[in-house]
Amino acid sequence: MRNRILLIAAAALLALSLAACGNRTARGENKNFGQGEKDIYIYRDLAVRDVMIDDFDTEKYDKDEYLGYLQEEIDAYNATASFVPQTAAEGEEENFTPHYTVPVSVASCTAEENKINQQLLYATAADFTKYNEEFLPERGGYTLQAGTLPYADASVTGATLIDPESEEGKTVDVQEILTGKSADDYRFVICNFDAVLYGDGDIVGMTSNGVFDKDKYCVSVPAGQTVVVLFK
C-alpha cells in the first residue's frame, strides 16, 4: 500500500516539473483513529475507512496534484466495480440522502511535516479488499470481511471469542446471541493482515490472537493471523 503513495506522488512530481503550481495545505487528524498507518475503521453500516501515512516531501510534491492522480486511480476502479447505489424506500424519497454513491472515495488527505495522511472510504469491506489486493500481501495477508452476525459463517459462529475487558478471559456465547432478539445489532470483522481495527459500538468479543488496547479501544491484528472481532 505504501508503494501506491510513492507511485502516485512520482506522477504528481512529473506533472509539477512540467507546470509548477499549487498551494500546500495541512490539517490535523483525530486523536485515536487516523494517526496510525495501519488503522482501519468499520462503521455500523459496514463501510470501511483506512489510513495510509508515508513520507511526502512537501517541497517536492504538491498535495493537490497528488490528489488529482489519486482520484484518477479511484475513478478507474469505480468504473469497473460492481456497485448498487442506495435507493430510498417507499415513502422516504423526500428526505433520503444516500450514504454512498460510489465504491471508493477520498475521505481526507493532509500533508504536513513531510508526511502525508491519506484516508479512503469504501462502501464495503469487499471494495477495500479488491482495491488494495496488490498491496495487502505487504502486510502479511489478503482479506478483510465484515457483516452482520446472523449472516456469518462457521469461521465466526464457531470461533472461540473472549470478552476483551474480562480479566478472567470470559468466553462469549455466540449461539446465545444468535438466538436472541438483538442478533442483528452485532457485526463481525475478519482480518488476516497487519492492521489496527476500530469500529462503531462496543467490542464484545475477539479471538485470543488479537491484541486489545483498552485506552484506544481497538484491536491489533498480527500479520498472517486471522483475527475475528465482534462489535455491537
Side-chain angles (χ1 to χ4, degrees):
M1 297 173 75
R2 179 184 300 271
N3 289 342
R4 171 175 284 128
I5 286 183
L6 296 178
L7 290 172
I8 297 175
L13 177 60
L14 176 60
L16 281 173
S17 67
L18 298 175
C21 62
N23 296 319
R24 301 174 179 82
T25 61
R27 296 194 179 99
E29 303 294 330
N30 60 38
K31 184 181 296 185
N32 291 324
F33 171 78
Q35 292 303 301
E37 61 183 21
K38 303 171 185 177
D39 290 1
I40 294 179
Y41 198 98
I42 297 88
Y43 291 94
R44 192 173 297 278
D45 60 5
L46 304 180
V48 173
R49 182 165 172 160
D50 75 340
V51 179
M52 287 195 289
I53 300 174
D54 205 351
D55 296 332
F56 191 85
D57 188 337
T58 53
E59 295 299 320
K60 182 186 296 184
Y61 303 125
D62 178 69
K63 188 198 73 171
D64 294 334
E65 197 76 27
Y66 168 83
L67 276 171
Y69 282 89
L70 174 63
Q71 190 61 56
E72 288 182 9
E73 180 185 88
I74 291 173
D75 290 344
Y77 172 84
N78 288 343
T80 60
S82 175
F83 181 72
V84 179
Q86 294 172 306
T87 57
E90 185 176 354
E92 295 182 350
E93 291 85 352
E94 183 177 346
N95 298 317
F96 176 74
T97 302
H99 292 150
Y100 312 107
T101 57
V102 292
V104 183
S105 58
V106 178
S108 69
C109 186
T110 61
E112 61 180 344
E113 297 180 355
N114 291 322
K115 291 286 184 180
I116 192 166
N117 184 313
Q118 169 192 301
Q119 300 185 22
L120 301 186
L121 180 67
Y122 308 83
T124 67
D127 285 309
F128 168 88
T129 302
K130 181 65 175 176
Y131 182 78
N132 293 288
E133 63 182 349
E134 180 182 350
F135 301 96
L136 288 180
E138 297 176 9
R139 293 169 66 170
Y142 56 88
T143 191
L144 178 75
Q145 300 175 50
T148 53
L149 186 58
Y151 296 95
D153 61 23
S155 64
V156 176
T157 59
T160 300
L161 305 181
I162 61 172
D163 179 347
E165 298 194 81
S166 169
E167 295 181 359
E168 300 82 16
K170 179 182 177 182
T171 58
V172 178
D173 191 335
V174 178
Q175 296 304 316
E176 181 179 359
I177 294 173
L178 281 170
T179 57
K181 294 182 179 180
S182 61
D184 288 336
D185 295 335
Y186 289 81
R187 291 156 290 117
F188 68 87
V189 180
I190 304 173
C191 181
N192 71 350
F193 55 85
D194 191 9
V196 181
L197 303 179
Y198 294 78
D200 290 338
D202 296 327
I203 300 173
V204 297
M206 55 178 281
T207 48
S208 60
N209 55 341
V211 180
F212 178 62
D213 185 325
K214 185 175 182 179
D215 293 331
K216 291 186 176 181
Y217 208 69
C218 57
V219 176
S220 294
V221 179
Q225 296 194 37
T226 301
V227 173
V228 179
V229 182
L230 194 62
F231 291 90
K232 182 183 179 185

